[in-house]
Amino acid sequence: MAPFRLRSDSRRASLQSYLAAVYNASVLKINKFCGGVSLRCQKDFGVAYRGLQQKFPEEFLDPKIQPLFEFDWHNYLCNKKRELCGEVWQHSSSLMCFLNGRLLGDEKQLASWAENQFSFTFTQPQSFYEALAEDCYTRHLKETGHHFVFMDIDVAGEAVGRLWFELFSDVCPKTSKNFEALCTGERGRSESGLPLHYKGSLFHRIVPNGWVQGGDISPGSKGNGGESIYGPTFEGADTNSLTVMRRWRALSNLLFIRLPDESFAVSHFKRGVLGMANKGPHSNGSQFYITLQPTPWMDRTYVAFGQVIEGADILRKLEEATTCNERPKYECKVTACGVLKL
């Protein structure tokens, strides 16, 4: 199965003659923030190039569109800065335009250049382009058929922002539903009395260049507990296996009500992959991880079922939290979580 690389709140069009954006593509990027939609990278870039291409077809070739979510765009941009170095490394904008191989600047410099060289100006107010971008983004999310959830994160008592996740509910429906329900808290309490809700839980483990791990909804969030929404039984279990599982739990003194490994179709091919932590085959509960780099060795051991689509800075702050033996010295807490209503 091909990796899930195609999700989009970004648009890039290559400028193959006079212009080229980083990695031979331009970007038109919008960002959801706290439930709304705002622009982090102005849409002027895409509008300017399309306008120039239509007006001067012999000067500008047809644009190439490469859809990317904010999280993937951020990672791609960082990698390109490392590759190109020089003046590009100091460029602070989240959009870069190149003219004949030389850095032109961001979307404002592009608009100024287009006006000076081709007398091109915008004919609509900024609010018009913002409305178009918001509508396009929402429509794209709906077309995926996937579910989207969020987590608000505090680090050392300070609110650092929101992580947005795309759940591959078509590939791992049962695992995705477990995670979504734990984000909403809709199932109330488990038979053992634990609140089936990620709100208030901690990220208890940070592995440098590996992953961050959280989701232990048991008291203290120490990393040795958690429950799925499905209780002690799951598809395919019989009375004997249930008895064995109960004895195993009693002997190990661990509360880890299990969900089977649903699918290994999604690869851990990049930073930001969302998966279920386990204690062996078919032992998924509520604990989850987010990868900090490609971890292909996880592919046949852990169930990946989603990805971060927004919140690159928030994941970086989690990653950089001070630790001792992979445990954060200060609380990294989920203060709120829920589902994105489209």
Side-chain angles (χ1 to χ4, degrees):
M1 177 174 291
F4 290 82
R5 300 173 188 258
L6 50 127
R7 313 306 173 200
S8 164
D9 72 337
S10 307
R11 287 201 169 179
R12 310 186 318 237
S14 67
L15 304 173
Q16 299 179 11
S17 179
Y18 281 85
L19 300 174
V22 174
Y23 54 90
N24 296 323
S26 63
V27 64
L28 175 62
K29 183 161 70 67
I30 63 175
N31 171 55
K32 298 193 315 306
F33 179 70
C34 296
V37 177
S38 63
L39 292 176
R40 188 174 292 177
C41 182
Q42 299 296 327
K43 293 164 294 304
D44 305 355
F45 188 87
V47 176
Y49 181 72
R50 286 187 178 278
L52 287 168
Q53 195 272 335
Q54 292 172 5
K55 191 173 182 180
F56 304 98
E58 295 182 358
E59 303 283 0
F60 297 89
L61 300 181
D62 291 335
K64 294 181 180 179
I65 305 299
Q66 173 70 40
L68 284 178
F69 274 128
E70 179 263 355
F71 188 85
D72 287 334
W73 162 247
H74 181 273
N75 291 337
Y76 204 101
L77 184 63
C78 289
N79 291 335
K80 272 298 172 181
K81 282 186 174 182
R82 294 190 187 98
E83 177 185 331
L84 299 175
C85 298
E87 61 179 337
V88 176
W89 187 255
Q90 302 298 323
H91 189 75
S92 59
S93 173
S94 56
L95 185 146
M96 289 188 236
C97 311
F98 288 82
L99 174 61
N100 295 330
R102 182 176 180 180
L103 181 64
L104 180 66
D106 59 14
E107 73 281 358
K108 294 179 181 179
Q109 279 72 50
L110 170 65
S112 177
W113 176 84
E115 183 175 2
N116 292 334
Q117 296 291 321
F118 296 93
S119 300
F120 176 88
T121 56
F122 296 104
T123 59
Q124 298 289 347
Q126 185 68 22
S127 58
F128 172 79
Y129 302 119
E130 291 180 1
L132 286 178
E134 180 176 351
D135 178 70
C136 181
Y137 185 69
T138 302
R139 186 168 62 251
H140 169 76
L141 294 182
K142 290 180 179 179
E143 289 173 354
T144 66
H146 292 162
H147 296 179
F148 300 86
V149 296
F150 70 88
M151 288 183 176
D152 290 337
I153 308 298
D154 273 17
V155 175
E158 178 183 354
V160 296
R162 175 169 289 186
L163 287 170
W164 285 97
F165 301 96
E166 177 184 18
L167 307 182
F168 301 142
S169 43
D170 51 347
V171 179
C172 298
K174 196 168 184 178
T175 307
S176 295
K177 180 58 181 176
N178 180 58
F179 191 83
E180 180 179 335
L182 289 167
C183 283
T184 63
E186 63 193 59
R187 298 300 182 95
R189 290 183 175 271
S190 68
E191 293 182 1
S192 63
L194 283 184
L196 295 170
H197 202 182
Y198 283 137
K199 183 178 180 179
S201 65
L202 304 177
F203 285 86
H204 61 270
R205 190 181 183 192
I206 300 174
V207 181
N209 299 314
W211 65 92
V212 297
Q213 186 171 334
D216 183 354
I217 58 176
S218 60
S221 295
K222 295 180 180 179
N224 59 355
E227 296 189 25
S228 77
I229 64 171
Y230 301 109
T233 61
F234 53 86
E235 183 179 358
D238 56 26
T239 303
N240 291 332
S241 62
L242 185 59
T243 301
V244 171
M245 185 175 70
R246 285 170 175 166
R247 289 176 179 174
W248 175 84
R249 286 175 52 200
L251 289 172
S252 62
N253 197 30
L254 295 176
L255 186 60
F256 201 83
I257 294 180
R258 304 189 292 173
L259 171 68
D261 295 330
E262 188 170 19
S263 172
F264 295 119
V266 180
S267 174
H268 299 76
F269 70 97
K270 64 170 186 173
R271 180 180 175 91
V273 172
L274 174 67
M276 295 301 297
N278 65 43
K279 291 183 176 292
H282 309 301
S283 62
N284 304 293
S286 57
Q287 290 192 39
F288 63 90
Y289 58 84
I290 306 168
T291 60
L292 300 176
Q293 66 175 7
T295 53
W297 59 269
M298 287 183 162
D299 282 353
R300 303 299 299 176
T301 305
Y302 300 94
V303 176
F305 64 97
Q307 65 177 350
V308 179
I309 62 170
E310 294 190 16
D313 292 341
I314 287 74
L315 183 58
R316 178 179 54 79
K317 289 177 180 179
L318 279 173
E319 179 181 14
E320 294 174 352
T322 305
T323 61
C324 180
N325 295 326
E326 298 182 350
R327 287 191 176 273
K329 286 189 174 182
Y330 307 100
E331 285 190 345
C332 299
K333 179 182 291 187
V334 178
T335 57
C337 45
V339 65
L340 172 62
K341 299 294 185 181
L342 297 176

